[in-house]
Amino acid sequence: MKIKITVLPGDGIGPEIIDQALKVVNSVCIKFGHEPVYRTGLVGAAAIDDCGDPYPEETHNLCMDSDAVLFGAIGDPRFDNDPKAKVRPEKGLLAMRKKLGLYANIRPIMTFSSLLHKSPLRQDLVEGAEFIAIRELTGGIYFGRPQGRSEDGDTAYDTCIYHKYEIERICRLAFDFAMKRRRKLTMVDKANVLATSRLWRETLQELAGEYPEVEVEYMFVDNAAMQIIQWPKRFDVIVTENMFGDILTDEASVITGSLGMLPSASIGLHTSVFEPVHGSYPQAAGKNIANPLAAVLSAALMFEYAFSLHKEAMLIRQAVEQSLLAGIVTEDIEPMNPAKTSEVGDLLADWIEKANLSGAGRK
Ligand code: IPM
Ligand code: MN
């Protein structure tokens, strides 16, 4: 199968972790006889430096014309402490999500048995915790207008807006996920305060009748933040709006032991994008020390969601588990005797190359 992938390495550690993901994608493609075609585009600070636009038209056209996008990370400290910066790298990511219509960000939270000791939570709390957070990605306070400053500069405002159709489509997706899993759906909102949250609740309630097998619960976001660390195993599928989802998934990701582990898939109207949950980690950029596993696992999600190639995805996950078991991991996991970013990528690609495929579908 021919697969056309747009590669957007982005900023900070983006390029080096994406390199490892590509080693893995190549190895899997050789193994299964697929033919990958890569095209690389500029996004984020790199794109601002090049042409002043963090998501140039050319990059958008590449994305539109491909089967999947592999994305590294975005963000550069040069812009963070300059409140007057006209354009920020993050704007590129938001523009990409909006223009590709990526309304759903799927973030699977899984634990790895060999990493349980790294979790900030007690082992018995995290062992076996496994849920999916579905974050609305193109609406809410991230995109609502008006947004800005008063003329005298002393007042600033953001607007949280949700239309019913935006809530409906993401909730349907969440119900579909719940139906394929343990059939429990938790909606996280702030309906005791926010009008948008009340519309979310109303819309979910209307849809719930179509999915009688799914147990639905509603939870305020402050309570959810607490429950995620108190008893993560209670969750199966969480659906929530854009900003709550952003915050809760960072929280959820560290209970697995390292923020460097979790992948995500953004899906919607056009080409899907696969990217790590973590950011651009500028302090580590170029040092070959960043954990590439979230990017590698994002490639696994790409095989699964964009190409319905489940064996390929499974083989990547098995390779990751092997590297964890063997202790060939970066310094966020193994500070005493760390492997380099590129060594982890080489090991994974090599393991996949040598894997016995008859066993690949197992587990
Ligand atoms: C994420 C990031 C982005 C977000 C930033 C970089 C704009 O934190 O993908 O979670 O807030 O959505
Ligand atoms: Mn985030």
Side-chain angles (χ1 to χ4, degrees):
M1 180 168 163
K2 199 163 179 164
I3 56 183
K4 225 153 100 180
I5 303 173
T6 290
V7 182
L8 303 181
D11 304 324
I13 57 168
E16 47 205 291
I17 58 170
I18 284 294
D19 278 351
Q20 313 317 311
L22 292 180
K23 285 180 192 167
V24 166
V25 172
N26 275 329
S27 196
V28 167
C29 283
I30 291 171
K31 195 84 185 170
F32 288 88
H34 304 307
E35 210 183 308
V37 180
Y38 305 108
R39 286 174 311 169
T40 303
L42 287 174
V43 72
I48 297 178
D49 290 341
D50 184 70
C51 66
D53 180 351
Y55 184 58
E57 194 64 30
E58 203 181 318
T59 300
H60 180 60
N61 292 338
L62 280 182
C63 293
M64 288 297 285
D65 180 45
S66 54
D67 303 317
V69 177
L70 253 187
F71 189 97
I74 219 159
D76 185 315
R78 277 187 289 148
F79 299 86
D80 290 344
N81 300 322
D82 177 7
K84 295 227 158 25
K86 283 242 154 22
V87 54
R88 284 167 202 286
E90 287 79 1
K91 231 185 157 145
L93 182 58
L94 300 183
M96 179 183 75
R97 290 172 177 170
K98 197 69 172 178
K99 282 180 139 179
L100 294 175
L102 304 172
Y103 61 80
N105 184 223
I106 298 160
R107 299 186 162 182
I109 317 296
M110 54 233 166
T111 52
F112 301 86
S113 45
S114 41
L115 281 190
L116 287 178
H117 66 287
K118 299 295 295 183
S119 173
L121 297 188
R122 268 199 340 257
Q123 279 206 17
D124 61 307
L125 295 184
V126 271
E127 193 162 18
E130 211 265 299
F131 60 92
I132 286 198
I134 299 183
R135 164 187 177 195
E136 201 290 328
L137 203 59
T138 50
I141 201 161
Y142 272 61
F143 292 95
R145 293 292 179 269
Q147 177 191 60
R149 285 280 189 108
S150 63
E151 237 155 69
D152 68 5
D154 289 346
T155 307
Y157 41 89
D158 298 282
T159 307
C160 186
I161 297 186
Y162 268 110
H163 305 289
K164 197 168 179 118
Y165 79 91
E166 296 175 303
I167 305 171
E168 217 175 277
R169 64 187 178 186
I170 186 113
C171 288
R172 276 196 191 284
L173 190 98
F175 272 116
D176 291 340
F177 267 92
M179 284 297 287
K180 288 190 221 128
R181 297 170 49 91
R182 302 195 299 276
R183 302 191 172 179
K184 183 169 173 197
L185 178 60
T186 305
M187 180 158 100
V188 173
D189 64 26
K190 190 74 185 172
N192 49 348
V193 178
L194 301 177
T196 42
S197 285
R198 288 192 281 274
L199 182 59
W200 272 74
R201 259 190 207 209
E202 193 182 298
T203 308
L204 193 82
Q205 269 158 8
E206 285 165 16
L207 288 177
E210 294 178 37
Y211 302 86
E213 295 101 325
V214 178
E215 180 198 337
V216 176
E217 74 174 343
Y218 304 92
M219 196 179 276
F220 295 141
V221 61
D222 44 354
N223 183 20
M226 179 189 75
Q227 303 251 8
I228 283 174
I229 53 163
Q230 202 172 41
W231 190 239
K233 283 185 247 190
R234 74 189 304 294
F235 295 106
D236 179 24
V237 178
I238 292 178
V239 65
T240 190
E241 62 102 74
N242 202 344
M243 187 154 78
F244 296 160
D246 178 45
I247 298 168
L248 291 181
T249 51
D250 259 35
E251 183 194 7
S253 70
V254 293
I255 68 177
T256 67
S258 170
L259 177 59
M261 298 295 300
L262 288 193
S264 84
S266 300
I267 63 178
L269 307 179
H270 303 292
T271 318
S272 301
V273 174
F274 300 87
E275 60 171 307
V277 169
H278 63 69
S280 60
Y281 192 15
Q283 306 86 326
K287 294 191 181 150
N288 203 15
I289 57 173
N291 187 344
L293 294 181
V296 168
L297 290 168
S298 297
L301 282 183
M302 174 184 79
F303 279 104
E304 198 168 322
Y305 290 174
F307 306 120
S308 293
L309 294 172
H310 300 282
K311 284 200 176 119
E312 286 78 345
M314 186 76 79
L315 192 62
I316 295 177
R317 292 196 187 105
Q318 284 177 338
V320 167
E321 264 172 38
Q322 292 300 319
S323 76
L324 291 173
L325 280 172
I328 312 290
V329 285
T330 43
E331 64 176 34
D332 51 311
I333 300 176
E334 194 64 76
M336 299 313 281
N337 184 22
K340 294 286 181 196
T341 309
S342 55
E343 286 169 348
V344 174
D346 290 339
L347 176 98
L348 296 171
D350 190 55
W351 189 87
I352 289 169
E353 193 189 315
K354 297 193 178 121
N356 174 1
L357 273 193
S358 59
R362 267 192 269 135
K363 210 186 159 310

